[in-house]
Amino acid sequence: MIRRILDFVFILLFVWACMILGLWIIDSYIVPFQLPATTNNIITATLKVGVSAAMVLFWLWLWREIIRRMFWRTTGVR
Amino acid sequence: MFTELAIFILGLAATFLSMPVIIQKMRKRRIVGVDVHKKDRILIPEMGGIAVLVGLTVSVLAAIILLPEKASLLISFLATTLIAGLIGARDDLKPLNAKVKPFLTALASVPILLMPTYYPRPVFPIIGRTRLTIVYPLIIPFAIAVPSNAVNMMDPFNGTMSGTCTIVTLVLLVSSLLLHSNDGLMLSACLLGPVLALYYFNRYPAKVFSGDVGSLSIGAALGAIAVLGQVEVVTIVAFMPQIMNAFYGLATIGRLYERREVSRPINILEDGRLAASKDPKAPITLARVILARGPLHESEAARIFMILSAIAGLLAILTAQLIVMTPP
C-alpha cells in the first residue's frame, strides 16, 4: 500500500516542482526577453507565448512518459 | 465567517435531506446502474447528483440573501453549475457522444462570460499578478469543460469522485482564506456541504451513484470557483490526480472516448479483488496504474485515491502560500 502511494507522491512532487521551475524560467528569462534585431512587439510577444506553450507541452509529455514507463515496468507486460 | 458557516450547513442539510427522496424515486423509476466492481453486480440508484444541485441551489440562494452585493457572482456560479448538471442529466438518461459532451460543458461557461463576473488578472506563484484581458475570456470555456469532464472520468470506485472533490473543495476553501479571496471562500462554502453529503451516501459501499448529473456539475462548479475566486493555479495543482487520470486515458486511446467504447482497464477476480487489465488496448487510467502493483479490494483502492488527492491538496495549499509570498 505504502509503495503504491510513494510512487505517486514522487510523481506529484516531480510534476509540481517542474511547474514551479517552469514559472521561474518564464519569469526570469522569457518575460524580460527582447529580440535584438526587431522593435516589433507582436513578434516578440508571439515568440514568448510560443516558447512558454512548448514548455507546457514538454511538461505534459514528460508527465505522460513517466507514468507510461512506470505502468508497463510494474505490470511486466508490453 | 458566520455567513460561510451558515451557507455550508444549509447546503449540507438540503443535500442530506433530499438524497433519500432521490434514491427512492430513482429506484422506483428503475434508473439504476450496475456496481461493476462487486462480484454480485448489485443495482444502485443513479443520478444522486440531483441532490447536490438541490443543496447547491439552497446554499447559493442563502448566500444571495445574506450577501446581496454578490448576487451577480453567485447567480453566474449557480447558472454555470445547473447548465452542466442539465447536460449530465441528459447524458444519464440518453448517452451523449464523447465528442459532444466537452463542447456542451464548455457552453456552461456562458453565464460567467455574459454577466461578466470574471476578473482577467490571474495570480501565479513567483510571477505575481498578470493582465490577460484578451486571452482570459477565451480560456474560461476550457476552465469549465476540462474540470467538468476530468471529474466525470475519475469515478471508477465507490466514493472516489465525491471524496476527491470534497478534498479539492476543502483545499480551495483553505487557499481562499490564505489568499484573502472572499469570493473563493464563499463559493467553496456553497459547494462543500453538498459534496460532503454526497460522499456520505456514495462512499464504499455506495448507496447511490452521483451519475453524470453530479460529476459534470461538481466539476463545472470547481472550475467556476477557480475563475470567480481567482484561485486558478491552486485549482490546477489540487486537480493533479484528476488531470493525470484524464490525460493518461486520452493519451492511450488517442481520442475522446466513452467508457463503454473501450476495453475495461480493471478486471474483477474470483475473490472479489480488483486487478489491472493487461490488455494493451485498455486505457491507462489512474485506477489501472494503482492496481498495477497487485490486486486490491475496492475500498483499499478508493482509499489510495483519497490519499493522492490529499497530497495534491497539500501541494495546492503550498502553492497558495507561494503566491502569498510573491511580491505584488
mmCIF file with all atom_site columns, all heavy atoms in Angstrom, chain B residues 240-265:
data_model
loop_
_atom_site.group_PDB
_atom_site.id
_atom_site.type_symbol
_atom_site.label_atom_id
_atom_site.label_alt_id
_atom_site.label_comp_id
_atom_site.label_asym_id
_atom_site.label_entity_id
_atom_site.label_seq_id
_atom_site.pdbx_PDB_ins_code
_atom_site.Cartn_x
_atom_site.Cartn_y
_atom_site.Cartn_z
_atom_site.occupancy
_atom_site.B_iso_or_equiv
_atom_site.pdbx_formal_charge
_atom_site.auth_seq_id
_atom_site.auth_comp_id
_atom_site.auth_asym_id
_atom_site.auth_atom_id
_atom_site.pdbx_PDB_model_num
ATOM 1   N N   . MET B 1 240 ? -4.458  17.759 -9.792  1.00 0.00 ? 240 MET B N   1
ATOM 2   C CA  . MET B 1 240 ? -3.454  16.921 -10.482 1.00 0.00 ? 240 MET B CA  1
ATOM 3   C C   . MET B 1 240 ? -3.871  15.448 -10.628 1.00 0.00 ? 240 MET B C   1
ATOM 4   O O   . MET B 1 240 ? -3.696  14.881 -11.710 1.00 0.00 ? 240 MET B O   1
ATOM 5   C CB  . MET B 1 240 ? -2.089  17.070 -9.821  1.00 0.00 ? 240 MET B CB  1
ATOM 6   C CG  . MET B 1 240 ? -1.382  18.349 -10.249 1.00 0.00 ? 240 MET B CG  1
ATOM 7   S SD  . MET B 1 240 ? 0.406   18.335 -10.118 1.00 0.00 ? 240 MET B SD  1
ATOM 8   C CE  . MET B 1 240 ? 0.670   18.160 -8.403  1.00 0.00 ? 240 MET B CE  1
ATOM 9   N N   . PRO B 1 241 ? -4.448  14.797 -9.590  1.00 0.00 ? 241 PRO B N   1
ATOM 10  C CA  . PRO B 1 241 ? -4.863  13.402 -9.810  1.00 0.00 ? 241 PRO B CA  1
ATOM 11  C C   . PRO B 1 241 ? -5.924  13.263 -10.912 1.00 0.00 ? 241 PRO B C   1
ATOM 12  O O   . PRO B 1 241 ? -5.850  12.348 -11.734 1.00 0.00 ? 241 PRO B O   1
ATOM 13  C CB  . PRO B 1 241 ? -5.432  12.980 -8.445  1.00 0.00 ? 241 PRO B CB  1
ATOM 14  C CG  . PRO B 1 241 ? -4.775  13.886 -7.468  1.00 0.00 ? 241 PRO B CG  1
ATOM 15  C CD  . PRO B 1 241 ? -4.616  15.197 -8.187  1.00 0.00 ? 241 PRO B CD  1
ATOM 16  N N   . GLN B 1 242 ? -6.876  14.202 -10.956 1.00 0.00 ? 242 GLN B N   1
ATOM 17  C CA  . GLN B 1 242 ? -7.924  14.148 -11.990 1.00 0.00 ? 242 GLN B CA  1
ATOM 18  C C   . GLN B 1 242 ? -7.331  14.404 -13.381 1.00 0.00 ? 242 GLN B C   1
ATOM 19  O O   . GLN B 1 242 ? -7.692  13.735 -14.344 1.00 0.00 ? 242 GLN B O   1
ATOM 20  C CB  . GLN B 1 242 ? -9.014  15.213 -11.717 1.00 0.00 ? 242 GLN B CB  1
ATOM 21  C CG  . GLN B 1 242 ? -10.015 14.835 -10.665 1.00 0.00 ? 242 GLN B CG  1
ATOM 22  C CD  . GLN B 1 242 ? -9.570  15.197 -9.259  1.00 0.00 ? 242 GLN B CD  1
ATOM 23  O OE1 . GLN B 1 242 ? -8.415  15.509 -8.995  1.00 0.00 ? 242 GLN B OE1 1
ATOM 24  N NE2 . GLN B 1 242 ? -10.492 15.137 -8.328  1.00 0.00 ? 242 GLN B NE2 1
ATOM 25  N N   . ILE B 1 243 ? -6.394  15.378 -13.447 1.00 0.00 ? 243 ILE B N   1
ATOM 26  C CA  . ILE B 1 243 ? -5.747  15.694 -14.732 1.00 0.00 ? 243 ILE B CA  1
ATOM 27  C C   . ILE B 1 243 ? -4.967  14.466 -15.204 1.00 0.00 ? 243 ILE B C   1
ATOM 28  O O   . ILE B 1 243 ? -5.050  14.065 -16.356 1.00 0.00 ? 243 ILE B O   1
ATOM 29  C CB  . ILE B 1 243 ? -4.823  16.929 -14.602 1.00 0.00 ? 243 ILE B CB  1
ATOM 30  C CG1 . ILE B 1 243 ? -5.636  18.184 -14.268 1.00 0.00 ? 243 ILE B CG1 1
ATOM 31  C CG2 . ILE B 1 243 ? -4.024  17.169 -15.895 1.00 0.00 ? 243 ILE B CG2 1
ATOM 32  C CD1 . ILE B 1 243 ? -4.801  19.401 -13.906 1.00 0.00 ? 243 ILE B CD1 1
ATOM 33  N N   . MET B 1 244 ? -4.193  13.864 -14.258 1.00 0.00 ? 244 MET B N   1
ATOM 34  C CA  . MET B 1 244 ? -3.414  12.657 -14.571 1.00 0.00 ? 244 MET B CA  1
ATOM 35  C C   . MET B 1 244 ? -4.321  11.596 -15.168 1.00 0.00 ? 244 MET B C   1
ATOM 36  O O   . MET B 1 244 ? -4.033  11.038 -16.217 1.00 0.00 ? 244 MET B O   1
ATOM 37  C CB  . MET B 1 244 ? -2.855  12.075 -13.260 1.00 0.00 ? 244 MET B CB  1
ATOM 38  C CG  . MET B 1 244 ? -1.440  12.361 -12.949 1.00 0.00 ? 244 MET B CG  1
ATOM 39  S SD  . MET B 1 244 ? -0.911  11.122 -11.745 1.00 0.00 ? 244 MET B SD  1
ATOM 40  C CE  . MET B 1 244 ? -0.264  12.116 -10.492 1.00 0.00 ? 244 MET B CE  1
ATOM 41  N N   . ASN B 1 245 ? -5.418  11.310 -14.478 1.00 0.00 ? 245 ASN B N   1
ATOM 42  C CA  . ASN B 1 245 ? -6.331  10.247 -14.900 1.00 0.00 ? 245 ASN B CA  1
ATOM 43  C C   . ASN B 1 245 ? -6.883  10.498 -16.304 1.00 0.00 ? 245 ASN B C   1
ATOM 44  O O   . ASN B 1 245 ? -6.825  9.632  -17.171 1.00 0.00 ? 245 ASN B O   1
ATOM 45  C CB  . ASN B 1 245 ? -7.464  10.146 -13.881 1.00 0.00 ? 245 ASN B CB  1
ATOM 46  C CG  . ASN B 1 245 ? -8.446  9.065  -14.216 1.00 0.00 ? 245 ASN B CG  1
ATOM 47  O OD1 . ASN B 1 245 ? -8.075  7.902  -14.309 1.00 0.00 ? 245 ASN B OD1 1
ATOM 48  N ND2 . ASN B 1 245 ? -9.684  9.430  -14.440 1.00 0.00 ? 245 ASN B ND2 1
ATOM 49  N N   . ALA B 1 246 ? -7.370  11.715 -16.543 1.00 0.00 ? 246 ALA B N   1
ATOM 50  C CA  . ALA B 1 246 ? -7.982  12.036 -17.840 1.00 0.00 ? 246 ALA B CA  1
ATOM 51  C C   . ALA B 1 246 ? -6.918  12.047 -18.940 1.00 0.00 ? 246 ALA B C   1
ATOM 52  O O   . ALA B 1 246 ? -7.118  11.495 -20.020 1.00 0.00 ? 246 ALA B O   1
ATOM 53  C CB  . ALA B 1 246 ? -8.666  13.392 -17.755 1.00 0.00 ? 246 ALA B CB  1
ATOM 54  N N   . PHE B 1 247 ? -5.779  12.625 -18.619 1.00 0.00 ? 247 PHE B N   1
ATOM 55  C CA  . PHE B 1 247 ? -4.705  12.783 -19.597 1.00 0.00 ? 247 PHE B CA  1
ATOM 56  C C   . PHE B 1 247 ? -4.148  11.428 -20.040 1.00 0.00 ? 247 PHE B C   1
ATOM 57  O O   . PHE B 1 247 ? -3.955  11.185 -21.234 1.00 0.00 ? 247 PHE B O   1
ATOM 58  C CB  . PHE B 1 247 ? -3.625  13.668 -18.964 1.00 0.00 ? 247 PHE B CB  1
ATOM 59  C CG  . PHE B 1 247 ? -2.429  13.918 -19.814 1.00 0.00 ? 247 PHE B CG  1
ATOM 60  C CD1 . PHE B 1 247 ? -2.566  14.439 -21.085 1.00 0.00 ? 247 PHE B CD1 1
ATOM 61  C CD2 . PHE B 1 247 ? -1.159  13.657 -19.336 1.00 0.00 ? 247 PHE B CD2 1
ATOM 62  C CE1 . PHE B 1 247 ? -1.446  14.676 -21.865 1.00 0.00 ? 247 PHE B CE1 1
ATOM 63  C CE2 . PHE B 1 247 ? -0.045  13.891 -20.105 1.00 0.00 ? 247 PHE B CE2 1
ATOM 64  C CZ  . PHE B 1 247 ? -0.188  14.405 -21.381 1.00 0.00 ? 247 PHE B CZ  1
ATOM 65  N N   . TYR B 1 248 ? -3.913  10.505 -19.078 1.00 0.00 ? 248 TYR B N   1
ATOM 66  C CA  . TYR B 1 248 ? -3.372  9.194  -19.445 1.00 0.00 ? 248 TYR B CA  1
ATOM 67  C C   . TYR B 1 248 ? -4.369  8.428  -20.298 1.00 0.00 ? 248 TYR B C   1
ATOM 68  O O   . TYR B 1 248 ? -3.995  7.789  -21.278 1.00 0.00 ? 248 TYR B O   1
ATOM 69  C CB  . TYR B 1 248 ? -3.033  8.346  -18.221 1.00 0.00 ? 248 TYR B CB  1
ATOM 70  C CG  . TYR B 1 248 ? -2.051  8.977  -17.291 1.00 0.00 ? 248 TYR B CG  1
ATOM 71  C CD1 . TYR B 1 248 ? -2.078  8.710  -15.934 1.00 0.00 ? 248 TYR B CD1 1
ATOM 72  C CD2 . TYR B 1 248 ? -1.085  9.848  -17.765 1.00 0.00 ? 248 TYR B CD2 1
ATOM 73  C CE1 . TYR B 1 248 ? -1.189  9.296  -15.075 1.00 0.00 ? 248 TYR B CE1 1
ATOM 74  C CE2 . TYR B 1 248 ? -0.194  10.439 -16.909 1.00 0.00 ? 248 TYR B CE2 1
ATOM 75  C CZ  . TYR B 1 248 ? -0.249  10.170 -15.571 1.00 0.00 ? 248 TYR B CZ  1
ATOM 76  O OH  . TYR B 1 248 ? 0.623   10.746 -14.708 1.00 0.00 ? 248 TYR B OH  1
ATOM 77  N N   . GLY B 1 249 ? -5.642  8.495  -19.889 1.00 0.00 ? 249 GLY B N   1
ATOM 78  C CA  . GLY B 1 249 ? -6.684  7.795  -20.648 1.00 0.00 ? 249 GLY B CA  1
ATOM 79  C C   . GLY B 1 249 ? -6.734  8.280  -22.079 1.00 0.00 ? 249 GLY B C   1
ATOM 80  O O   . GLY B 1 249 ? -6.708  7.486  -23.027 1.00 0.00 ? 249 GLY B O   1
ATOM 81  N N   . LEU B 1 250 ? -6.752  9.612  -22.255 1.00 0.00 ? 250 LEU B N   1
ATOM 82  C CA  . LEU B 1 250 ? -6.825  10.200 -23.600 1.00 0.00 ? 250 LEU B CA  1
ATOM 83  C C   . LEU B 1 250 ? -5.555  9.887  -24.399 1.00 0.00 ? 250 LEU B C   1
ATOM 84  O O   . LEU B 1 250 ? -5.618  9.590  -25.593 1.00 0.00 ? 250 LEU B O   1
ATOM 85  C CB  . LEU B 1 250 ? -7.017  11.721 -23.514 1.00 0.00 ? 250 LEU B CB  1
ATOM 86  C CG  . LEU B 1 250 ? -8.353  12.200 -22.948 1.00 0.00 ? 250 LEU B CG  1
ATOM 87  C CD1 . LEU B 1 250 ? -8.351  13.702 -22.787 1.00 0.00 ? 250 LEU B CD1 1
ATOM 88  C CD2 . LEU B 1 250 ? -9.503  11.784 -23.848 1.00 0.00 ? 250 LEU B CD2 1
ATOM 89  N N   . ALA B 1 251 ? -4.393  9.944  -23.714 1.00 0.00 ? 251 ALA B N   1
ATOM 90  C CA  . ALA B 1 251 ? -3.118  9.693  -24.403 1.00 0.00 ? 251 ALA B CA  1
ATOM 91  C C   . ALA B 1 251 ? -3.038  8.247  -24.889 1.00 0.00 ? 251 ALA B C   1
ATOM 92  O O   . ALA B 1 251 ? -2.486  7.979  -25.949 1.00 0.00 ? 251 ALA B O   1
ATOM 93  C CB  . ALA B 1 251 ? -1.951  10.015 -23.477 1.00 0.00 ? 251 ALA B CB  1
ATOM 94  N N   . THR B 1 252 ? -3.597  7.297  -24.117 1.00 0.00 ? 252 THR B N   1
ATOM 95  C CA  . THR B 1 252 ? -3.531  5.886  -24.536 1.00 0.00 ? 252 THR B CA  1
ATOM 96  C C   . THR B 1 252 ? -4.474  5.616  -25.707 1.00 0.00 ? 252 THR B C   1
ATOM 97  O O   . THR B 1 252 ? -4.099  4.936  -26.657 1.00 0.00 ? 252 THR B O   1
ATOM 98  C CB  . THR B 1 252 ? -3.958  4.939  -23.379 1.00 0.00 ? 252 THR B CB  1
ATOM 99  O OG1 . THR B 1 252 ? -3.846  5.590  -22.148 1.00 0.00 ? 252 THR B OG1 1
ATOM 100 C CG2 . THR B 1 252 ? -3.199  3.661  -23.391 1.00 0.00 ? 252 THR B CG2 1
ATOM 101 N N   . ILE B 1 253 ? -5.684  6.142  -25.600 1.00 0.00 ? 253 ILE B N   1
ATOM 102 C CA  . ILE B 1 253 ? -6.674  5.852  -26.649 1.00 0.00 ? 253 ILE B CA  1
ATOM 103 C C   . ILE B 1 253 ? -6.445  6.755  -27.869 1.00 0.00 ? 253 ILE B C   1
ATOM 104 O O   . ILE B 1 253 ? -6.717  6.376  -29.001 1.00 0.00 ? 253 ILE B O   1
ATOM 105 C CB  . ILE B 1 253 ? -8.116  6.018  -26.081 1.00 0.00 ? 253 ILE B CB  1
ATOM 106 C CG1 . ILE B 1 253 ? -8.320  5.078  -24.882 1.00 0.00 ? 253 ILE B CG1 1
ATOM 107 C CG2 . ILE B 1 253 ? -9.187  5.784  -27.139 1.00 0.00 ? 253 ILE B CG2 1
ATOM 108 C CD1 . ILE B 1 253 ? -8.226  3.594  -25.174 1.00 0.00 ? 253 ILE B CD1 1
ATOM 109 N N   . GLY B 1 254 ? -5.936  7.957  -27.641 1.00 0.00 ? 254 GLY B N   1
ATOM 110 C CA  . GLY B 1 254 ? -5.626  8.878  -28.741 1.00 0.00 ? 254 GLY B CA  1
ATOM 111 C C   . GLY B 1 254 ? -6.796  9.713  -29.206 1.00 0.00 ? 254 GLY B C   1
ATOM 112 O O   . GLY B 1 254 ? -6.696  10.423 -30.209 1.00 0.00 ? 254 GLY B O   1
ATOM 113 N N   . ARG B 1 255 ? -7.919  9.641  -28.486 1.00 0.00 ? 255 ARG B N   1
ATOM 114 C CA  . ARG B 1 255 ? -9.100  10.454 -28.838 1.00 0.00 ? 255 ARG B CA  1
ATOM 115 C C   . ARG B 1 255 ? -10.035 10.487 -27.627 1.00 0.00 ? 255 ARG B C   1
ATOM 116 O O   . ARG B 1 255 ? -9.817  9.746  -26.662 1.00 0.00 ? 255 ARG B O   1
ATOM 117 C CB  . ARG B 1 255 ? -9.846  9.855  -30.034 1.00 0.00 ? 255 ARG B CB  1
ATOM 118 C CG  . ARG B 1 255 ? -10.379 8.480  -29.770 1.00 0.00 ? 255 ARG B CG  1
ATOM 119 C CD  . ARG B 1 255 ? -11.132 7.875  -30.923 1.00 0.00 ? 255 ARG B CD  1
ATOM 120 N NE  . ARG B 1 255 ? -11.342 6.455  -30.697 1.00 0.00 ? 255 ARG B NE  1
ATOM 121 C CZ  . ARG B 1 255 ? -12.335 5.926  -29.985 1.00 0.00 ? 255 ARG B CZ  1
ATOM 122 N NH1 . ARG B 1 255 ? -13.239 6.697  -29.441 1.00 0.00 ? 255 ARG B NH1 1
ATOM 123 N NH2 . ARG B 1 255 ? -12.452 4.618  -29.821 1.00 0.00 ? 255 ARG B NH2 1
ATOM 124 N N   . LEU B 1 256 ? -11.071 11.359 -27.713 1.00 0.00 ? 256 LEU B N   1
ATOM 125 C CA  . LEU B 1 256 ? -12.084 11.374 -26.665 1.00 0.00 ? 256 LEU B CA  1
ATOM 126 C C   . LEU B 1 256 ? -12.879 10.074 -26.756 1.00 0.00 ? 256 LEU B C   1
ATOM 127 O O   . LEU B 1 256 ? -13.194 9.626  -27.861 1.00 0.00 ? 256 LEU B O   1
ATOM 128 C CB  . LEU B 1 256 ? -13.019 12.573 -26.851 1.00 0.00 ? 256 LEU B CB  1
ATOM 129 C CG  . LEU B 1 256 ? -12.383 13.948 -26.609 1.00 0.00 ? 256 LEU B CG  1
ATOM 130 C CD1 . LEU B 1 256 ? -13.250 15.032 -27.195 1.00 0.00 ? 256 LEU B CD1 1
ATOM 131 C CD2 . LEU B 1 256 ? -12.175 14.185 -25.125 1.00 0.00 ? 256 LEU B CD2 1
ATOM 132 N N   . TYR B 1 257 ? -13.168 9.462  -25.617 1.00 0.00 ? 257 TYR B N   1
ATOM 133 C CA  . TYR B 1 257 ? -13.879 8.179  -25.645 1.00 0.00 ? 257 TYR B CA  1
ATOM 134 C C   . TYR B 1 257 ? -14.878 8.076  -24.510 1.00 0.00 ? 257 TYR B C   1
ATOM 135 O O   . TYR B 1 257 ? -14.787 8.797  -23.519 1.00 0.00 ? 257 TYR B O   1
ATOM 136 C CB  . TYR B 1 257 ? -12.875 7.015  -25.570 1.00 0.00 ? 257 TYR B CB  1
ATOM 137 C CG  . TYR B 1 257 ? -12.125 6.934  -24.256 1.00 0.00 ? 257 TYR B CG  1
ATOM 138 C CD1 . TYR B 1 257 ? -12.588 6.144  -23.206 1.00 0.00 ? 257 TYR B CD1 1
ATOM 139 C CD2 . TYR B 1 257 ? -10.950 7.662  -24.056 1.00 0.00 ? 257 TYR B CD2 1
ATOM 140 C CE1 . TYR B 1 257 ? -11.902 6.091  -21.999 1.00 0.00 ? 257 TYR B CE1 1
ATOM 141 C CE2 . TYR B 1 257 ? -10.265 7.601  -22.866 1.00 0.00 ? 257 TYR B CE2 1
ATOM 142 C CZ  . TYR B 1 257 ? -10.742 6.822  -21.833 1.00 0.00 ? 257 TYR B CZ  1
ATOM 143 O OH  . TYR B 1 257 ? -10.069 6.765  -20.643 1.00 0.00 ? 257 TYR B OH  1
ATOM 144 N N   . GLU B 1 258 ? -15.826 7.177  -24.689 1.00 0.00 ? 258 GLU B N   1
ATOM 145 C CA  . GLU B 1 258 ? -16.786 6.840  -23.642 1.00 0.00 ? 258 GLU B CA  1
ATOM 146 C C   . GLU B 1 258 ? -16.334 5.513  -23.044 1.00 0.00 ? 258 GLU B C   1
ATOM 147 O O   . GLU B 1 258 ? -15.787 4.659  -23.758 1.00 0.00 ? 258 GLU B O   1
ATOM 148 C CB  . GLU B 1 258 ? -18.192 6.683  -24.238 1.00 0.00 ? 258 GLU B CB  1
ATOM 149 C CG  . GLU B 1 258 ? -18.976 7.982  -24.360 1.00 0.00 ? 258 GLU B CG  1
ATOM 150 C CD  . GLU B 1 258 ? -19.349 8.595  -23.026 1.00 0.00 ? 258 GLU B CD  1
ATOM 151 O OE1 . GLU B 1 258 ? -19.833 7.864  -22.141 1.00 0.00 ? 258 GLU B OE1 1
ATOM 152 O OE2 . GLU B 1 258 ? -19.145 9.803  -22.856 1.00 0.00 ? 258 GLU B OE2 1
ATOM 153 N N   . ARG B 1 259 ? -16.591 5.323  -21.744 1.00 0.00 ? 259 ARG B N   1
ATOM 154 C CA  . ARG B 1 259 ? -16.139 4.102  -21.066 1.00 0.00 ? 259 ARG B CA  1
ATOM 155 C C   . ARG B 1 259 ? -16.576 2.821  -21.793 1.00 0.00 ? 259 ARG B C   1
ATOM 156 O O   . ARG B 1 259 ? -15.846 1.865  -21.888 1.00 0.00 ? 259 ARG B O   1
ATOM 157 C CB  . ARG B 1 259 ? -16.675 4.078  -19.634 1.00 0.00 ? 259 ARG B CB  1
ATOM 158 C CG  . ARG B 1 259 ? -15.719 4.686  -18.649 1.00 0.00 ? 259 ARG B CG  1
ATOM 159 C CD  . ARG B 1 259 ? -16.369 4.919  -17.330 1.00 0.00 ? 259 ARG B CD  1
ATOM 160 N NE  . ARG B 1 259 ? -17.162 6.152  -17.342 1.00 0.00 ? 259 ARG B NE  1
ATOM 161 C CZ  . ARG B 1 259 ? -17.570 6.784  -16.262 1.00 0.00 ? 259 ARG B CZ  1
ATOM 162 N NH1 . ARG B 1 259 ? -17.297 6.305  -15.087 1.00 0.00 ? 259 ARG B NH1 1
ATOM 163 N NH2 . ARG B 1 259 ? -18.256 7.890  -16.341 1.00 0.00 ? 259 ARG B NH2 1
ATOM 164 N N   . ARG B 1 260 ? -17.838 2.858  -22.324 1.00 0.00 ? 260 ARG B N   1
ATOM 165 C CA  . ARG B 1 260 ? -18.369 1.627  -22.936 1.00 0.00 ? 260 ARG B CA  1
ATOM 166 C C   . ARG B 1 260 ? -17.737 1.325  -24.298 1.00 0.00 ? 260 ARG B C   1
ATOM 167 O O   . ARG B 1 260 ? -17.884 0.233  -24.819 1.00 0.00 ? 260 ARG B O   1
ATOM 168 C CB  . ARG B 1 260 ? -19.894 1.699  -23.052 1.00 0.00 ? 260 ARG B CB  1
ATOM 169 C CG  . ARG B 1 260 ? -20.393 2.924  -23.762 1.00 0.00 ? 260 ARG B CG  1
ATOM 170 C CD  . ARG B 1 260 ? -21.888 3.115  -23.640 1.00 0.00 ? 260 ARG B CD  1
ATOM 171 N NE  . ARG B 1 260 ? -22.246 4.458  -24.077 1.00 0.00 ? 260 ARG B NE  1
ATOM 172 C CZ  . ARG B 1 260 ? -22.259 5.522  -23.312 1.00 0.00 ? 260 ARG B CZ  1
ATOM 173 N NH1 . ARG B 1 260 ? -21.930 5.405  -22.034 1.00 0.00 ? 260 ARG B NH1 1
ATOM 174 N NH2 . ARG B 1 260 ? -22.580 6.703  -23.777 1.00 0.00 ? 260 ARG B NH2 1
ATOM 175 N N   . GLU B 1 261 ? -17.009 2.324  -24.870 1.00 0.00 ? 261 GLU B N   1
ATOM 176 C CA  . GLU B 1 261 ? -16.401 2.141  -26.210 1.00 0.00 ? 261 GLU B CA  1
ATOM 177 C C   . GLU B 1 261 ? -15.079 1.383  -26.156 1.00 0.00 ? 261 GLU B C   1
ATOM 178 O O   . GLU B 1 261 ? -14.614 0.887  -27.170 1.00 0.00 ? 261 GLU B O   1
ATOM 179 C CB  . GLU B 1 261 ? -16.090 3.507  -26.850 1.00 0.00 ? 261 GLU B CB  1
ATOM 180 C CG  . GLU B 1 261 ? -17.301 4.321  -27.244 1.00 0.00 ? 261 GLU B CG  1
ATOM 181 C CD  . GLU B 1 261 ? -16.874 5.707  -27.721 1.00 0.00 ? 261 GLU B CD  1
ATOM 182 O OE1 . GLU B 1 261 ? -15.734 5.888  -28.169 1.00 0.00 ? 261 GLU B OE1 1
ATOM 183 O OE2 . GLU B 1 261 ? -17.694 6.620  -27.619 1.00 0.00 ? 261 GLU B OE2 1
ATOM 184 N N   . VAL B 1 262 ? -14.421 1.347  -24.976 1.00 0.00 ? 262 VAL B N   1
ATOM 185 C CA  . VAL B 1 262 ? -13.060 0.790  -24.895 1.00 0.00 ? 262 VAL B CA  1
ATOM 186 C C   . VAL B 1 262 ? -13.015 -0.414 -23.951 1.00 0.00 ? 262 VAL B C   1
ATOM 187 O O   . VAL B 1 262 ? -13.958 -0.650 -23.179 1.00 0.00 ? 262 VAL B O   1
ATOM 188 C CB  . VAL B 1 262 ? -12.051 1.861  -24.406 1.00 0.00 ? 262 VAL B CB  1
ATOM 189 C CG1 . VAL B 1 262 ? -11.894 2.970  -25.426 1.00 0.00 ? 262 VAL B CG1 1
ATOM 190 C CG2 . VAL B 1 262 ? -12.457 2.438  -23.059 1.00 0.00 ? 262 VAL B CG2 1
ATOM 191 N N   . SER B 1 263 ? -11.895 -1.164 -24.015 1.00 0.00 ? 263 SER B N   1
ATOM 192 C CA  . SER B 1 263 ? -11.730 -2.325 -23.125 1.00 0.00 ? 263 SER B CA  1
ATOM 193 C C   . SER B 1 263 ? -11.689 -1.843 -21.681 1.00 0.00 ? 263 SER B C   1
ATOM 194 O O   . SER B 1 263 ? -11.161 -0.760 -21.398 1.00 0.00 ? 263 SER B O   1
ATOM 195 C CB  . SER B 1 263 ? -10.412 -3.036 -23.418 1.00 0.00 ? 263 SER B CB  1
ATOM 196 O OG  . SER B 1 263 ? -10.266 -3.251 -24.773 1.00 0.00 ? 263 SER B OG  1
ATOM 197 N N   . ARG B 1 264 ? -12.183 -2.669 -20.760 1.00 0.00 ? 264 ARG B N   1
ATOM 198 C CA  . ARG B 1 264 ? -12.198 -2.285 -19.348 1.00 0.00 ? 264 ARG B CA  1
ATOM 199 C C   . ARG B 1 264 ? -10.765 -2.272 -18.800 1.00 0.00 ? 264 ARG B C   1
ATOM 200 O O   . ARG B 1 264 ? -10.028 -3.252 -18.977 1.00 0.00 ? 264 ARG B O   1
ATOM 201 C CB  . ARG B 1 264 ? -13.051 -3.259 -18.541 1.00 0.00 ? 264 ARG B CB  1
ATOM 202 C CG  . ARG B 1 264 ? -14.536 -3.151 -18.838 1.00 0.00 ? 264 ARG B CG  1
ATOM 203 C CD  . ARG B 1 264 ? -15.350 -3.604 -17.632 1.00 0.00 ? 264 ARG B CD  1
ATOM 204 N NE  . ARG B 1 264 ? -15.138 -2.730 -16.495 1.00 0.00 ? 264 ARG B NE  1
ATOM 205 C CZ  . ARG B 1 264 ? -15.763 -1.565 -16.328 1.00 0.00 ? 264 ARG B CZ  1
ATOM 206 N NH1 . ARG B 1 264 ? -16.617 -1.136 -17.215 1.00 0.00 ? 264 ARG B NH1 1
ATOM 207 N NH2 . ARG B 1 264 ? -15.526 -0.816 -15.272 1.00 0.00 ? 264 ARG B NH2 1
ATOM 208 N N   . PRO B 1 265 ? -10.355 -1.185 -18.123 1.00 0.00 ? 265 PRO B N   1
ATOM 209 C CA  . PRO B 1 265 ? -8.988  -1.135 -17.589 1.00 0.00 ? 265 PRO B CA  1
ATOM 210 C C   . PRO B 1 265 ? -8.805  -1.988 -16.332 1.00 0.00 ? 265 PRO B C   1
ATOM 211 O O   . PRO B 1 265 ? -7.696  -2.246 -15.910 1.00 0.00 ? 265 PRO B O   1
ATOM 212 C CB  . PRO B 1 265 ? -8.780  0.354  -17.290 1.00 0.00 ? 265 PRO B CB  1
ATOM 213 C CG  . PRO B 1 265 ? -10.146 0.930  -17.148 1.00 0.00 ? 265 PRO B CG  1
ATOM 214 C CD  . PRO B 1 265 ? -11.084 0.079  -17.934 1.00 0.00 ? 265 PRO B CD  1
#
